[in-house]
Amino acid sequence: MRLPPELRVPAAQAAGSALFSILVAVLISLTGALGLWSNSDVRVEVDAKVVQAVGCAKADQPEEVTYQRDGREERIKLDACGHEVGEPVRIALGEETASLAHARTSATTDARPLGVVLCVFAGIAGAGFAELFRRTAGESLRTRAVGP
């Protein structure tokens, strides 16, 4: 059975809603919702020397390191453990504490393009769901008008 003309959704309208959904997903992804252009990965890394070592059994206490900044020796707490006094380490400076330069706790940029692609697929799926919903709503209207 065919739907009455007032309940048919033209293919162009369905394609338009799918394209709109995909464009919205791409725009949200590329405008920074996934952090593509955030500066959270910008870190200042310097060479330092451990001046107060802490064993890993007492990991709640930070170690202390010294590093050179503008010709002066600065001292900062290091959120690490198990180093020897005088051991050279590469650190990433934070506001109050430093961390080891090779230790990363934030997301890397390697997975972000995959996030954009998945967001586009979510847009396609959303458009497909909207199209199916419109068809089912039209079918239920037709069934009500004609009867069982």
Side-chain angles (χ1 to χ4, degrees):
M1 287 186 134
R2 295 182 60 143
L3 291 175
E6 65 271 2
L7 295 179
R8 286 188 209 144
V9 178
Q13 188 177 8
S17 67
L19 182 63
F20 176 74
S21 182
I22 292 167
L23 286 175
V24 167
V26 168
L27 287 174
I28 287 173
S29 299
L30 294 179
T31 55
L34 297 177
L36 286 175
W37 294 292
S38 69
N39 60 359
S40 62
D41 289 337
V42 177
R43 305 182 325 161
V44 177
E45 294 183 4
V46 296
D47 291 317
K49 191 177 282 190
V50 177
V51 293
Q52 180 182 352
V54 174
C56 289
K58 298 178 183 179
D60 58 333
Q61 298 175 352
E63 294 184 335
E64 284 191 30
V65 295
T66 59
Y67 66 96
Q68 295 291 323
R69 175 186 260 173
D70 299 328
R72 295 179 317 192
E73 188 172 280
E74 298 279 331
R75 200 172 173 131
I76 191 168
K77 294 182 189 283
L78 176 67
D79 62 354
C81 66
H83 295 97
E84 298 290 327
V85 174
E87 180 180 349
V89 291
R90 181 104 177 135
I91 62 170
L93 296 176
E95 291 182 23
E96 295 178 12
T97 61
S99 59
L100 295 173
H102 64 273
R104 308 257 341 193
T105 57
S106 62
T108 63
T109 58
D110 297 340
R112 291 181 182 161
L114 178 63
V116 172
V117 169
L118 290 175
C119 201
V120 169
F121 283 131
I124 293 169
F129 175 75
E131 178 59 25
L132 286 174
F133 183 76
R134 287 169 55 159
R135 284 185 186 178
T136 348
E139 184 67 29
S140 68
L141 286 175
R142 185 187 62 74
T143 305
R144 285 186 201 155
V146 176

